[in-house]
Amino acid sequence: QKEVEQNSGPLSVPEGAIASLNCTYSDRGSQSFFWYRQYSGKSPELIMSIYSNGDKEDGRFTAQLNKASQYVSLLIRDSQPSDSATYLCAVIRTGTASKLTFGTGTRLQVTL
Amino acid sequence: AAGVIQSPRHLIKEKRETATLKCYPIPRHDTVYWYQQGPGQDPQFLISFYEKMQSDKGSIPDRFSAQQFSDYHSELNMSSLELGDSALYFCASSLSTGSSYEQYFGPGTRLTVT
């Protein structure tokens, strides 16, 4: 079992819809959680960070964290074709000196 | 805003050769991380440096070494290259002060070993 789990997809949503991406993690002591967007052959781009339970909104993006359920999610409102990419969930685990542990990513396809 | 700079962007080497990858972090960032991403895989942590000292080590082969210099740039040295070393190598940087641990990635170096 991977330390950070994501559904690999592809997740297909129509343009203008809400895309919901999910991630679970195994280390209950994890404190920091991130969502990165990665286009094919490009580097991961940080789009959201979240450290405490609840919701955090930034533009069309909302990250949700539930530490009791060891679950973090990303909602993308008004999805655009340019949002089509792989979304990587990343966690900083307890005692790991801030290295990121990634999930395998969810591929999102926004269709016209 | 200034970003992480990596060089070279592409590198082709033969088996058993050596390679050196360079990373220039975002100005004022004090921590550098190296990640390796194989085709269809998620990035895997290799090694990190904080204030020029190694701070953590991941699944980095003994054939690889790295260091951070006084100007905070970092170099990843790879020797006795194998076909399986072909991958994207990313450098990321962060600022360790405060409660944020956000890491910003450079564009990567695509290493091809033939």
Side-chain angles (χ1 to χ4, degrees):
Chain A
Q1 182 186 4
K2 277 186 67 73
E3 296 156 359
V4 181
E5 298 268 8
Q6 293 181 255
N7 187 321
S8 61
L11 172 65
S12 185
V13 299
E15 184 178 6
I18 296 174
S20 178
L21 306 161
N22 305 314
C23 171
T24 58
Y25 58 95
S26 60
D27 183 355
R28 184 170 290 277
S30 298
Q31 296 294 322
S32 306
F33 308 87
F34 308 88
W35 284 99
Y36 284 85
R37 178 174 63 195
Q38 186 174 31
Y39 296 108
S40 181
K42 303 297 185 181
S43 62
E45 174 191 5
L46 179 66
I47 53 174
M48 289 291 285
S49 60
I50 187 166
Y51 304 100
S52 55
N53 281 329
D55 295 358
K56 179 182 177 182
E57 185 175 321
D58 184 0
R60 296 187 296 113
F61 300 99
T62 298
Q64 299 174 317
L65 175 62
N66 184 325
K67 289 186 178 181
S69 300
Q70 296 175 238
Y71 174 89
V72 59
S73 67
L74 179 70
L75 299 177
I76 306 175
R77 289 181 297 281
D78 188 24
S79 295
Q80 301 297 309
S82 59
D83 294 327
S84 299
T86 296
Y87 288 79
L88 295 164
C89 174
V91 170
I92 294 179
R93 297 174 56 211
T94 310
T96 58
S98 76
K99 73 176 185 183
L100 293 172
T101 299
F102 286 90
T104 52
T106 297
R107 189 158 62 92
L108 173 66
Q109 292 178 337
V110 180
T111 57
L112 296 172
Chain B
V4 177
I5 297 172
Q6 289 188 250
S7 67
R9 295 291 306 277
H10 301 273
L11 193 57
I12 300 175
K13 292 285 186 178
E14 295 186 354
K15 284 195 307 182
R16 294 179 288 277
E17 285 192 320
T18 62
T20 298
L21 279 54
K22 296 185 178 182
C23 168
Y24 297 84
I26 292 171
R28 294 186 292 109
H29 279 195
D30 52 17
T31 306
V32 167
Y33 311 80
W34 287 96
Y35 294 87
Q36 177 192 57
Q37 187 174 28
Q41 299 180 355
D42 54 286
Q44 295 293 314
F45 171 75
L46 294 178
I47 196 167
S48 62
F49 293 87
Y50 166 68
E51 287 290 346
K52 293 151 281 186
M53 298 287 288
Q54 182 181 307
S55 54
D56 201 356
K57 195 172 183 179
S59 50
I60 183 169
D62 292 340
R63 300 177 288 108
F64 294 6
S65 65
Q67 58 182 325
Q68 186 179 31
F69 295 86
S70 57
D71 64 351
Y72 292 95
H73 94 272
S74 178
E75 295 184 4
L76 178 65
N77 298 293
M78 311 161 71
S79 63
S80 302
L81 287 168
E82 302 174 356
L83 294 178
D85 296 329
S86 295
L88 274 167
Y89 290 83
F90 294 110
C91 172
S93 73
S94 69
L95 182 61
S96 63
T97 57
S99 59
S100 169
Y101 301 96
E102 296 177 347
Q103 294 181 26
Y104 297 90
F105 282 70
T109 295
R110 181 177 294 279
L111 173 65
T112 302
V113 181
T114 62

